[in-house]
Amino acid sequence: MGLMGLMGLMGCAKATPEELASLAAEGYYRHLVAGEYKEFLEGKAGADSLPADYCEQLLSGYKQFMAQQQAAHRGIRSVQTTNARPDSTLHLMQVFLLLEYGDSTQEEIVVPMVEHDGRWRMK
């Protein structure tokens, strides 16, 4: 569901930082699952200032990771947010995502998110 859909569900209420960070993290991981590695990389804080050769290495690493997940678990079938909590000490939002694999196993991961200029990005 996109931001507009989330806002529509909430009526006139303003989305919380937890909701916005969760929506962003889930969206970035859906890009990863879909093989949209460049879009996933764009979700990382500071990605726009990385050297081009390093970006290419990261993109290659994402592709390898997804190939490993395919071999080990028949890929990642779905991604959904289970929780989000602010970490005031580290000044970020901890977003918990549940990855469901093609072999029916599940794994919960934590994605640290930071807000910069009104946009949530992965740390």
Side-chain angles (χ1 to χ4, degrees), residues 6-64:
L6 177 65
M7 297 298 267
L9 287 176
M10 296 172 51
C12 294
K14 185 175 178 183
T16 66
E18 290 86 352
E19 291 165 332
L20 293 174
S22 296
L23 185 62
E26 191 173 315
Y28 296 138
Y29 269 80
R30 286 184 180 184
H31 282 302
L32 179 67
V33 170
E36 299 165 349
Y37 307 123
K38 184 177 180 197
E39 289 80 359
F40 179 75
L41 178 58
E42 288 171 356
K44 293 192 89 51
D48 50 351
S49 62
L50 295 174
D53 60 333
Y54 184 58
C55 286
E56 288 302 317
Q57 290 174 10
L58 290 172
L59 294 172
S60 177
Y62 300 152
K63 187 175 182 177
Q64 289 174 6

Side-chain angles (χ1 to χ4, degrees), residues 69-89:
Q69 298 311 303
Q70 183 64 37
H73 299 289
R74 293 191 306 226
I76 300 172
R77 186 170 44 198
S78 68
V79 177
Q80 71 182 63
T81 302
T82 60
N83 197 5
R85 288 186 279 209
D87 186 326
S88 57
T89 304

